[in-house]
Amino acid sequence: MAFKLWERISQADNVFQSLRPLTYISLLGLAPFRLNLKAADKEVHTSTYSLVAGIVHFLFFVLCFLASMRNGDSIIGYFFQTNITKLGDSTVKLTGILAMCSIFGFVIIKRQRFVSIIQNIIVVDEIFVRLGMKLDYRRILLICFLISVGMLTFNVIYLCVSYALLISATFSPSFVTFTTFALPHINISFMVFKFLCTTHLARSRFSMLNEILQDILDAHIEQYNALEISPMHSVVNNNHYAYRLRNMISTPMKRYSVTSIIRQNPEYAIKQVSNIQNLLCDICQTIEEYFTYPLLGIIAISFLFILFDDFYILEAQLNPKRLDKFEADEFFAFFLSQMIWYIVIIFLIVEASSRTILQNSITPAMVHKILNITDDPELRDRLFRLSLQLSHRRVRFTAAGLFPLDRTLYFTITGAATTYLIILIQFRYTHHMEESNDNNNNTQQSNIF
């Protein structure tokens, strides 16, 4: 029974069925669209129910946030209060509300852009079908399910551990305070999940595109070997030459399928490759436009949490008297787990965009490999046009154009966090020195009198 249920759930024959995990978060209003899972219906629609759910979800977060602000409650306030912790808490709260506004605002206002991403994906898949190739939709579905289960498990463990640590430290956070703390984590996770799924859709199509170019390259290598290798060479030399040529020119790749249409009519295949590449660049550009400000807010709040969590831990190390002994372990565990959570979020965003960019960067190399061994003038003309198109249409992801979402972001965040952490420590040390001098002066004056 369980096996049959799993077979039915994991079955996917089209792009709609492979996107089932995305439709689940529409219940929370973070994916305001609906998909018809019937293979015959190839339309994507916006969902009024999900739109209303998104507005209610955001208003609920705002009410909890305002109630927490009115009561003056905060998670860091349960442990200790200093001038910098108050500043950090206020900054994180302000950034959090701005991040939530950008997430829900762009989800609602730009929902049509997300629909256009799926519509363009459908067009790309139809072109692949005309070339005799079809994606493994079941594999895409299973990857989306794996991502969703991983994100859900990660957040459930983190929130349960955080609440248990607060209770263990004899703190009992109110409902609105913990809800204000938990909701941004949940909403950020859902937004990152959407970004992971959409970039995976584009990345899998780029991989299929490279499969077509690899097939054309292999066909020309076989033809080149048949024409160029002299019959006077021995069979051993022929095999050795062919082996070396394949190693120098070809890059073996995992295939989805090898079709006769591509090999029989490579000019037509290259023409369709140009159309697919253009559509995929449009898809990636739409992904960037849809996620740009939400991701900027997510990365900004992640940076602030990483920075201030580091400082809180160092502050407790430098001034252990601020914490009672029974709550010190819970304090370190709480803020260390929170810092790790935001590091993982940044890692997922950067790796998803970097892997998509990397997959697209393989295409120009494949095109020029084919150019190096083909003498067909029509095919070379198509390849030159495609090469020019690739040079002008490059896939990239940025956070509102301020910085690229690639692996250089690791270095940028590490350097900036280290710099500001040193500034905070110096400011805190100067403040302690001033307090110590004031206390000494007061003591001396009291002794005189």
Side-chain angles (χ1 to χ4, degrees), residues 202-244:
R203 185 166 61 252
S204 61
R205 272 71 181 178
F206 277 122
S207 179
M208 180 73 83
L209 192 69
N210 294 329
E211 294 289 341
I212 296 174
L213 294 174
Q214 181 67 47
D215 193 17
I216 296 173
L217 178 62
D218 287 345
H220 280 78
I221 289 174
E222 295 171 3
Q223 183 181 3
Y224 184 87
N225 291 340
L227 295 176
E228 295 295 330
I229 298 178
S230 173
M232 296 178 62
H233 290 81
S234 63
V235 176
V236 177
N237 289 336
N238 288 347
N239 292 336
H240 179 68
Y241 180 81
Y243 175 78
R244 289 184 60 189

Side-chain angles (χ1 to χ4, degrees), residues 13-144:
D13 297 324
N14 53 59
V15 66
F16 298 101
Q17 294 178 350
S18 67
L19 291 176
R20 265 179 288 178
L22 273 179
T23 61
Y24 299 154
I25 63 175
S26 63
L27 300 175
L28 298 174
L30 290 173
F33 67 93
R34 59 185 175 89
L35 302 173
N36 193 328
L37 300 181
K38 296 181 180 179
D41 188 2
K42 295 186 178 182
E43 292 184 358
V44 189
H45 307 279
T46 57
S47 173
T48 304
Y49 167 78
S50 185
L51 181 63
V52 174
I55 296 174
V56 172
H57 184 179
F58 178 71
L59 292 178
F60 175 70
F61 168 74
V62 171
L63 289 175
C64 291
F65 180 83
L66 293 177
S68 177
M69 291 287 291
R70 185 185 61 182
N71 297 332
D73 293 335
S74 65
I75 297 298
I76 183 60
Y78 289 133
F79 290 100
F80 62 84
Q81 289 282 359
T82 65
N83 291 333
I84 294 184
T85 56
K86 292 178 181 178
L87 173 64
D89 194 32
S90 302
T91 304
V92 168
K93 284 182 178 179
L94 177 61
T95 310
I97 190 67
L98 291 177
M100 293 304 100
C101 289
S102 65
I103 288 175
F104 282 97
F106 275 78
V107 164
I108 295 173
I109 296 173
K110 293 193 174 184
R111 61 188 183 274
Q112 193 61 40
R113 290 187 181 274
F114 197 86
V115 171
S116 67
I117 293 172
I118 302 174
Q119 290 173 340
N120 285 333
I121 288 290
I122 296 171
V123 176
V124 169
D125 291 352
E126 290 175 349
I127 298 176
F128 278 127
V129 171
R130 289 201 294 268
L131 291 173
M133 306 183 76
K134 184 179 180 181
L135 276 86
D136 189 353
Y137 291 109
R138 187 172 185 271
R139 181 173 179 270
I140 296 175
L141 173 64
L142 292 178
I143 291 176
C144 290

Side-chain angles (χ1 to χ4, degrees), residues 165-403:
L165 288 172
L166 292 173
I167 297 298
S168 178
T170 67
F171 302 134
S172 182
S174 62
F175 172 77
V176 292
T177 301
F178 193 78
T179 302
T180 306
F181 166 77
L183 276 181
H185 293 81
I186 296 172
N187 295 331
I188 287 173
S189 298
F190 281 133
M191 203 66 183
V192 172
F193 169 68
K194 287 174 62 178
F195 182 71
L196 294 177
C197 289
T198 50
T199 52
H200 177 69
L201 291 177
R203 185 166 61 252
S204 61
R205 272 71 181 178
F206 277 122
S207 179
M208 180 73 83
L209 192 69
N210 294 329
E211 294 289 341
I212 296 174
L213 294 174
Q214 181 67 47
D215 193 17
I216 296 173
L217 178 62
D218 287 345
H220 280 78
I221 289 174
E222 295 171 3
Q223 183 181 3
Y224 184 87
N225 291 340
L227 295 176
E228 295 295 330
I229 298 178
S230 173
M232 296 178 62
H233 290 81
S234 63
V235 176
V236 177
N237 289 336
N238 288 347
N239 292 336
H240 179 68
Y241 180 81
Y243 175 78
R244 289 184 60 189
L245 183 65
R246 179 175 291 274
N247 283 342
M248 289 190 305
I249 300 179
S250 176
T251 303
M253 300 175 65
K254 184 179 177 181
R255 305 262 174 112
Y256 289 94
S257 63
V258 178
T259 59
S260 59
I261 298 176
I262 297 172
R263 296 200 173 198
Q264 290 178 359
N265 194 348
E267 294 85 0
Y268 173 76
I270 293 297
K271 180 181 179 181
Q272 297 303 323
V273 165
S274 300
N275 293 334
I276 294 172
Q277 199 273 339
N278 187 55
L279 285 171
L280 288 177
C281 287
D282 289 338
I283 291 170
C284 291
Q285 183 178 354
T286 307
I287 291 174
E288 182 187 9
E289 292 174 356
Y290 181 79
F291 288 98
T292 182
Y293 286 103
L295 290 183
L296 176 61
I298 291 171
I299 293 173
I301 194 174
S302 299
F303 172 76
L304 289 175
F305 267 103
I306 292 171
L307 174 62
F308 284 105
D309 286 345
D310 279 333
F311 176 76
Y312 297 152
I313 294 173
L314 288 175
E315 172 75 5
Q317 290 284 352
L318 296 174
N319 299 284
K321 294 181 179 180
R322 292 188 178 276
L323 293 174
D324 295 332
K325 292 183 179 178
F326 68 89
E327 68 184 35
D329 294 337
E330 289 82 359
F331 175 86
F332 291 121
F334 178 84
F335 287 104
L336 182 62
S337 62
Q338 183 173 254
M339 183 174 62
I340 293 174
W341 190 91
Y342 281 101
I343 290 174
V344 171
I345 289 297
I346 292 178
F347 174 81
L348 292 175
I349 293 173
V350 170
E351 288 302 313
S353 58
S354 296
R355 291 178 60 189
T356 305
I357 294 171
L358 179 63
Q359 195 64 237
N360 176 65
S361 65
I362 298 175
T363 306
M366 301 288 294
V367 169
H368 284 275
K369 286 179 181 179
I370 301 173
L371 273 170
N372 289 336
I373 60 173
T374 183
D375 294 325
D376 188 344
E378 294 184 2
L379 181 59
R380 289 181 65 85
D381 180 64
R382 288 287 182 187
L383 289 170
F384 275 122
R385 293 183 187 179
L386 178 57
S387 177
L388 186 62
Q389 176 179 316
L390 291 169
S391 65
H392 288 282
R393 300 218 64 185
R394 296 180 180 178
V395 173
R396 70 188 189 105
F397 297 99
T398 64
L402 297 177
F403 50 84

